[in-house]
């Protein structure tokens, strides 16, 4: 056993692949993750096996090579691209005499560095504790010892059991606090629904340019950096489109392949904004040669969140790197399906805004309504709203009105005027009033 060092960022990366072919961009992404965490990469080793070794994941030959590199390069930390079991981490640390971390632990560390808001810090701490609770038996020899000494003798509880109990208590406290935060977030979401303000969520693979696009759309000042998970905490801004529609834009955390389950569980309330959105902007790095794999990976996470049914507009960003012009493509019914733009230069932003406006344009209803002679107040309200396109005087002195009005405004009118929905006869087309009355 060894006493694990408290610091040290000299890292050796182990690209461990088991039972599958390596993705062409997987190696580069793993190195970017380590760099984003502040690591100084001093060496890399690749290991490919049909099935992982139960004790070390990698084979004994690679283990000897790795140990030699750790000694020669004075490495403080070894990071594995493969997910390691707690026992595999422990066995590797015993053999290598240095700290060992897998990809999930690396991502958790990055999230811990990036969290700024109160909710974000709670969520990251919860994810870390859930991850740590299965990995307490590590390189620390004192964890397995019973407490001893004056004032510490007692029931014989080991330090390891104490830490497990304390972690369990802390997890319960964090869950309770996050439930309160989630209640406030749900209340805010319900208020937006009552006010009928649509929500547009920005989702996409990490480093696709979501924060840059968010700033371009809303004139916000969200932190932007060319690194993975540059921003973690979700940000909301109100935006008024050219057609007068007000929307709330939500910038969510970036996704990544094999996102740790602890993070998905902890950030479920935050990502609920994407699930409850009226429209989703799926941001894609158009210059990425593996963009179709990234699209599938993001859609896989959205499926885990039950958010795959939210309408999507695919936004292909960074066209300035490809020398392409901004454009829009439509689906079979003429709705905007994809927009090509550059969030950095601003080319195509106006095209995206008009596409969002088209997708979220208020629905209108057209039809006829017959009002009685004593319902002059309701008639005046409709004229004030500009909803009447034609009017006829009925034989009994009432009015027959042809209306063209927004669905939201019409629902409000019925509520204010205390009228039943059945009083309105919706038309199939914009036919004249005489034709509608003859049907």
């Amino acid at each position: 056993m060894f006493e694990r060092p408290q610091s040290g960022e000299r890292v050796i990366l182990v690209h461990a692949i088991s039972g599958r072919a390596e993705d062409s961009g997987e190696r580069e992404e793993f190195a970017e993750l380590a760099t984003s965490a502040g690591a100084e990469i001093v060496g890399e080793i690749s290991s490919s096996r049909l099935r992982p070794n139960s004790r070390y994941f990698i084979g004994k030959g690679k283990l000897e090579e790795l140990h030699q590199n750790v000694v020669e390069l004075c490495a403080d930390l070894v990071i594995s691209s493969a997910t390691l079991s707690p026992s595999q981490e422990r066995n590797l640390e015993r053999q290598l005499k240095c700290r060992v971390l897998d990809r999930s632990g690396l991502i958790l560390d990055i999230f811990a560095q990036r969290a700024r808001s109160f909710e974000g810090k709670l969520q990251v701490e919860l994810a870390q504790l859930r991850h740590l609770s299965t990995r307490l038996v590590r390189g620390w020899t004192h964890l397995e010892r019973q407490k001893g000494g004056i004032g510490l003798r007692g029931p014989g509880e080991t330090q390891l059991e104490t830490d497990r109990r304390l972690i369990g208590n802390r997890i319960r406290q964090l869950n309770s606090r996050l439930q309160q935060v989630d209640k406030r977030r749900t209340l805010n979401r319900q208020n937006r629904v009552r006010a009928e303000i649509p929500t547009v969520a920005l989702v996409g693979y990490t480093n696709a340019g979501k924060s840059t696009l968010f700033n371009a759309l809303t004139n916000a000042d969200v932190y932007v950096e060319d690194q993975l998970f540059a921003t973690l905490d979700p940000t909301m801004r109100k935006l008024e489109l050219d057609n007068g529609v007000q929307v709330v834009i939500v910038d969510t955390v970036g996704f990544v392949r094999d996102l740790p389950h602890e993070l998905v569980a902890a950030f479920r309330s935050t990502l609920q904004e994407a699930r409850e959105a009226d429209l989703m902007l799926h941001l894609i790095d158009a210059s990425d040669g593996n963009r179709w794999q990234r699209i599938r990976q993001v859609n896989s996470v959205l499926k885990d969140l039950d958010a795959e049914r939210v309408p999507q507009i695919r936004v292909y960003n960074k066209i300035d790197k490809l020398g392409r012009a901004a454009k829009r493509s439509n689906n079979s019914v003429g709705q905007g399906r994809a927009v090509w733009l550059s969030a950095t230069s601003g080319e195509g932003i106006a095209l995206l805004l008009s596409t969002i406006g088209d997708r979220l344009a208020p629905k209108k209803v057209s039809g006829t309504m017959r009002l009685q002679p004593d319902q002059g107040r309701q008639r005046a309200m409709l004229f004030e709203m500009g909803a009447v396109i034609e009017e006829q005087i009925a034989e009994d002195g009432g009015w027959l009105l042809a209306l063209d009005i927004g669905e939201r405004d019409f629902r409000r009118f019925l509520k204010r005027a205390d009228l039943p929905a059945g009083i309105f006869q919706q038309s199939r087309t914009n036919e004249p009033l005489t034709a509608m009355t003859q049907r």
Side-chain angles (χ1 to χ4, degrees), residues 145-160:
R145 302 172 188 159
Q146 289 186 357
K147 297 176 184 178
I150 298 174
L152 295 176
R153 299 183 181 91
E157 184 180 54
T158 65
Q159 182 67 46
L160 186 61

Side-chain angles (χ1 to χ4, degrees), residues 9 16 37 103 130 196 278 315 328 343 347 380:
E9 307 300 337
R103 187 172 174 278
R130 284 174 172 167
E196 299 189 354
D278 298 279
V315 182
R328 161 180 163 170
E347 184 181 4

Side-chain angles (χ1 to χ4, degrees), residues 35 46 134-136 147 153 164 217 250 261 279 319-320 324 347 389 416:
T35 303
S46 297
T134 61
R135 287 166 165 77
L136 282 177
K147 297 176 184 178
R153 299 183 181 91
R164 281 177 175 156
L217 291 174
V250 183
H261 295 298
L279 182 65
I319 60 172
D320 50 309
R324 299 187 60 167
E347 184 181 4
I389 58 176
R416 289 172 54 199

Side-chain angles (χ1 to χ4, degrees), residues 11 56 306 343 438:
V11 173
Y56 306 109
D306 297 326
Q438 292 172 0

Side-chain angles (χ1 to χ4, degrees), residues 328-357:
R328 161 180 163 170
S329 59
N330 297 333
N331 56 22
S332 57
V333 296
Q335 293 179 325
R337 178 182 61 86
V339 176
W340 295 70
L341 55 75
S342 170
T344 302
S345 68
E347 184 181 4
I349 296 294
L351 196 59
L352 175 62
L353 288 173
S354 65
T355 304
I356 296 173

Side-chain angles (χ1 to χ4, degrees), residues 3 6 20 22-23 30 54 58 72 80 104 113 133 139 182 203 249 252 255 273 286 320 371 400 403 408 436:
E3 295 297 325
Q6 297 291 334
R20 61 179 178 86
E22 185 178 18
D23 185 338
F30 184 44
S54 59
I58 59 177
E72 292 177 354
S80 167
S104 296
Q113 294 181 43
S133 62
D182 189 38
V203 300
I249 304 289
T252 62
F255 298 157
E273 296 294 345
D320 50 309
L371 296 178
L400 184 62
L403 306 179
R408 179 179 62 181
M436 288 187 286

